[in-house]
Amino acid sequence: MKFEVTILGSSSATPVYNRNPTAQLLNCNEKFYLIDCGEGTQQQLIRFGIKANKIDFVFISHLHGDHYFGLIGLLSSLHLNGRIKPMKIFGPPALEEILALQFQHSETVIRYPIEFVATQADKPVQIFENADLTVETIILNHRIPCTGFKFVQKKRLRKLIIERLEADRVPVEYYPLLKRGADLDLPDGSTLLNADYTTDSERPRTYCYCSDTLMDERYFESIKGADLLYHEATFLQDMLERANQTHHTTALQAGQVAIATGAVKLLIGHFSSRYKALPPLLDEARTVFENTELALEGNTYSVP
Amino acid sequence: MKFEVTILGSSSATPVYNRNPTAQLLNCNEKFYLIDCGEGTQQQLIRFGIKANKIDFVFISHLHGDHYFGLIGLLSSLHLNGRIKPMKIFGPPALEEILALQFQHSETVIRYPIEFVATQADKPVQIFENADLTVETIILNHRIPCTGFKFVQKKRLRKLIIERLEADRVPVEYYPLLKRGADLDLPDGSTLLNADYTTDSERPRTYCYCSDTLMDERYFESIKGADLLYHEATFLQDMLERANQTHHTTALQAGQVAIATGAVKLLIGHFSSRYKALPPLLDEARTVFENTELALEGNTYSVP
């Protein structure tokens, strides 16, 4: 099952050096989840040849403009381009008012349903569930209320070994129980052992998105054991004081978070405009956590 | 004196084919006036190597998103990049509330003064004046209140012919009066004829910006005799019905407006996403008004 994230924006605060403010597109089993939506996200989607109408869910971490100024334009364009299927948006409570005010004054009545779900940045809760995954908030420590998002794939049903089932003439009405992992006692007194007829399904994987935050142990429990951890790394460690003042993280700290929480792989982004070249940030994170990559725009990273 | 406009965005409604929503930068005597500000305008400024901080005045025609969704991001970035000089914004009354709500929820206190001047779309009035020009609203006919803007250079003082003044030993204290065009009666009973010592200054020029509108004779008086007329031309004439429904103009009509109002030169823009190639729009406008050009992003057009 596809579980991968495409970077649409990797810049902090302002666009610079052809880097756009934060936005990511998560593809889980060909359903598309937009995570944050800085200005120009719809242009980035066009640039990378991604149809915006594939997105059915939007998750906004907080109301600093570099994480959401592109949302109103994206929603408007979907309307103008004839979208009719619903869109579900998760974000801080005031986001609904901000969107509504702008629709009101353009006299736009969006022709597809928008369901808005307000997030709270007080304690981690599950905010979404479908057949593929659940989404929980991660309570980050930023200057304004800010939540990350943890996308957890669901444990899938066991895979049937069809050739063996057919060879042994196991009736198809038993298949659903076998998929759920049961051994079957047959009317003739014999037993079908599940292990003979199924294999384990893919291990469910987890993607954690930590947008803007001070390094703070209080959210470590939430992101424990992430297969792919995206963590902001706005500064190099020599700017630690500035990072603390602005409630951001250094590349070194992002690596430390990855170690402390047992991540499999780390993706760093939200780069300050002071860094034209990004390799120093990567090198610094790798001094503590080797399996790190830069979140580069247009690149897609599979959740390992 | 420089009087020229650079196109930052030329698309209607949605970004498409690498065309951005509407924005223009007018340079009058090295003062910079931003006219409309679609999403991604700050990225376009970077792309074309223009420092956003040079802009001191913003004019927003109306509250359809393709004309203003980029403003909040531009203002935020100027703040983050350390601007301290004031910014003056002209636009529909609700724009102030929309900006304020977004600053409030990002807990941003903009560190440079923003002066907001509400425009009204009922009758044309002068809304701005400085040493170089005046700006008047143009009352357009769109689905929501919409004003264009007429930038009129001021008549400049006459130019002194310094060599002649010095040769005739005309005292410098007479210079200001001569610049203003006066003949001078001297104490000895003689007269200095202005025409002997000055030449006429540059003819004041006019730039008219008509963003989104039905062709409507009621605004013709406002834009009469424009040296450069920017007029939207969203559709070709075969889409006239659609243009009427959506309160837009065809390329043919834009040419007709230019003729009817005696424009010197016509610039057409606000192209519908249905047109990948733009020459057909240019050709159509030129069938009625030869001196027409396409508003192409990154290009600068001098007011003739």
Side-chain angles (χ1 to χ4, degrees):
Chain A
M1 184 163 84
K2 218 173 234 184
F3 195 37
E4 60 186 31
V5 65
T6 300
I7 305 303
L8 303 171
S10 64
S11 186
S12 75
T14 63
V16 69
Y17 312 127
N18 212 19
R19 299 198 297 258
N20 255 58
T22 300
Q24 304 189 356
L25 188 67
L26 184 71
N27 175 350
C28 180
N29 200 21
E30 297 306 321
K31 290 195 184 68
F32 291 84
Y33 306 77
L34 182 65
I35 312 171
D36 280 342
C37 187
E39 181 178 356
T41 295
Q42 60 172 327
Q43 283 99 328
Q44 292 289 83
L45 289 166
I46 295 171
R47 181 174 163 203
F48 301 131
I50 302 167
K51 287 199 190 325
N53 201 39
K54 297 200 292 191
I55 299 165
D56 289 328
F57 310 96
V58 178
F59 295 83
I60 300 294
S61 64
H62 66 302
L63 293 183
H64 281 152
D66 55 327
H67 293 256
Y68 87 94
F69 282 164
L71 182 57
I72 182 77
L74 176 67
L75 297 175
S76 298
S77 292
L78 289 171
H79 162 79
L80 291 164
N81 291 330
R83 180 184 178 107
I84 48 170
K85 65 176 175 164
M87 177 71 88
K88 198 159 184 168
I89 302 172
F90 301 81
L95 179 58
E96 188 174 23
E97 181 190 356
I98 290 168
L99 297 174
L101 186 67
Q102 292 180 87
F103 287 137
Q104 175 198 328
H105 288 292
S106 62
E107 293 183 14
T108 302
V109 180
I110 296 288
R111 63 168 73 88
Y112 58 91
I114 294 181
E115 184 187 343
F116 184 82
V117 180
T119 54
Q120 302 295 341
D122 49 358
K123 58 174 191 293
V125 289
Q126 182 178 309
I127 53 173
F128 180 72
E129 176 171 18
N130 64 10
D132 300 314
L133 50 67
T134 59
V135 184
E136 295 164 32
T137 52
I138 302 163
I139 307 308
L140 301 174
N141 181 349
H142 197 43
R143 304 196 301 279
I144 61 172
C146 182
T147 67
F149 301 103
K150 179 182 182 178
F151 298 82
V152 184
Q153 282 188 314
K154 284 195 171 166
K155 175 81 182 160
R156 311 206 81 190
L157 298 174
R158 295 182 66 80
K159 286 182 192 159
L160 300 175
I161 307 168
I162 294 291
E163 319 81 75
R164 205 173 295 168
L165 288 161
E166 287 178 351
D168 292 354
R169 296 191 185 157
V170 177
V172 291
E173 50 268 40
Y174 294 159
Y175 288 9
L177 282 168
L178 287 167
K179 279 185 177 176
R180 282 181 177 70
D183 297 326
L184 298 181
D185 297 321
L186 301 187
D188 65 5
S190 69
T191 295
L192 287 184
L193 288 177
N194 194 288
D196 293 338
Y197 296 99
T198 70
T199 55
D200 204 2
S201 60
E202 229 173 74
R203 186 180 61 83
R205 290 165 286 166
T206 299
Y207 176 57
C208 288
Y209 171 80
C210 297
S211 54
D212 282 22
T213 190
L214 265 180
M215 185 168 98
D216 181 338
E217 291 188 1
R218 284 175 291 181
Y219 63 81
F220 284 14
E221 184 62 31
S222 270
I223 64 174
K224 211 166 149 182
D227 295 288
L228 181 60
L229 169 64
Y230 167 84
H231 201 287
E232 70 126 304
T234 309
F235 299 106
L236 287 170
Q237 187 66 11
D238 63 0
M239 295 290 295
L240 179 61
E241 200 179 330
R242 176 92 181 128
N244 287 336
Q245 277 166 5
T246 55
H247 284 230
H248 284 301
T249 311
T250 67
L252 191 82
Q253 289 178 318
Q256 290 168 340
V257 173
I259 287 203
T261 61
V264 175
K265 181 173 174 174
L266 173 65
L267 194 59
I268 57 172
H270 199 262
F271 309 117
S272 163
S273 63
R274 73 183 56 229
Y275 306 113
K276 184 164 186 182
L278 302 176
L281 290 147
L282 181 62
D283 293 344
E284 182 174 288
R286 283 185 172 170
T287 61
V288 286
F289 191 80
E290 177 58 29
N291 196 10
T292 303
E293 283 194 58
L294 294 168
L296 298 178
E297 295 180 16
N299 278 13
T300 297
Y301 303 86
S302 202
V303 182
Chain B
M1 186 163 81
K2 219 173 232 185
F3 195 37
E4 61 186 30
V5 64
T6 300
I7 305 302
L8 302 171
S10 63
S11 186
S12 76
T14 65
V16 69
Y17 314 127
N18 210 20
R19 298 198 298 257
N20 256 57
T22 300
Q24 304 188 354
L25 187 67
L26 184 71
N27 174 350
C28 180
N29 199 23
E30 298 305 321
K31 291 196 183 66
F32 291 84
Y33 305 78
L34 182 66
I35 311 171
D36 280 342
C37 186
E39 181 180 354
T41 295
Q42 59 173 328
Q43 283 99 327
Q44 293 287 84
L45 288 166
I46 294 171
R47 181 174 164 204
F48 300 130
I50 301 167
K51 288 200 189 325
N53 201 39
K54 294 200 294 191
I55 299 165
D56 290 326
F57 310 97
V58 178
F59 295 82
I60 300 294
S61 65
H62 67 302
L63 293 183
H64 281 154
D66 55 326
H67 292 258
Y68 87 94
F69 281 164
L71 182 58
I72 182 77
L74 176 67
L75 297 176
S76 298
S77 292
L78 288 172
H79 162 78
L80 291 165
N81 290 330
R83 182 186 177 106
I84 48 170
K85 65 177 176 164
M87 177 73 89
K88 198 160 184 169
I89 302 172
F90 301 80
L95 179 57
E96 188 174 23
E97 182 190 355
I98 290 168
L99 296 174
L101 186 68
Q102 293 181 87
F103 287 137
Q104 176 198 329
H105 288 292
S106 63
E107 296 183 10
T108 301
V109 180
I110 295 289
R111 61 168 75 88
Y112 57 92
I114 294 181
E115 184 186 345
F116 184 81
V117 179
T119 55
Q120 301 295 339
D122 50 359
K123 59 175 192 293
V125 288
Q126 181 179 310
I127 54 174
F128 179 72
E129 176 172 17
N130 64 10
D132 299 314
L133 49 67
T134 59
V135 184
E136 293 164 33
T137 52
I138 302 162
I139 306 309
L140 301 173
N141 182 349
H142 198 43
R143 305 196 300 279
I144 61 173
C146 182
T147 67
F149 301 102
K150 178 182 183 179
F151 297 82
V152 184
Q153 282 188 311
K154 284 196 170 165
K155 176 80 181 158
R156 310 205 85 190
L157 297 175
R158 297 181 66 79
K159 286 182 193 158
L160 299 176
I161 306 170
I162 294 292
E163 320 79 75
R164 203 173 296 169
L165 288 161
E166 287 178 352
D168 292 355
R169 299 193 182 153
V170 177
V172 291
E173 51 264 41
Y174 293 161
Y175 287 10
L177 282 168
L178 289 167
K179 278 184 176 177
R180 285 182 173 71
D183 296 326
L184 299 181
D185 295 322
L186 302 187
D188 66 4
S190 66
T191 295
L192 288 184
L193 288 179
N194 195 288
D196 292 339
Y197 295 99
T198 71
T199 55
D200 206 359
S201 59
E202 230 174 72
R203 187 180 61 83
R205 291 165 286 165
T206 300
Y207 176 57
C208 287
Y209 171 81
C210 297
S211 55
D212 282 22
T213 190
L214 266 180
M215 185 168 97
D216 182 337
E217 292 188 0
R218 283 175 292 180
Y219 63 81
F220 285 14
E221 184 63 30
S222 270
I223 63 174
K224 211 166 149 184
D227 295 287
L228 181 60
L229 169 63
Y230 167 86
H231 200 287
E232 71 124 303
T234 309
F235 300 106
L236 287 170
Q237 187 67 11
D238 63 2
M239 294 290 294
L240 178 62
E241 201 179 329
R242 175 92 182 127
N244 286 337
Q245 277 165 4
T246 55
H247 285 230
H248 284 301
T249 312
T250 68
L252 191 81
Q253 288 179 318
Q256 291 168 339
V257 173
I259 286 203
T261 61
V264 175
K265 180 173 175 174
L266 172 66
L267 194 58
I268 57 172
H270 200 262
F271 310 116
S272 163
S273 63
R274 74 182 56 231
Y275 307 113
K276 185 164 186 180
L278 302 176
L281 290 146
L282 181 62
D283 294 346
E284 183 175 287
R286 282 184 172 169
T287 60
V288 287
F289 191 81
E290 177 57 30
N291 195 11
T292 302
E293 283 195 59
L294 293 168
L296 298 178
E297 295 180 17
N299 279 12
T300 296
Y301 303 86
S302 202
V303 182

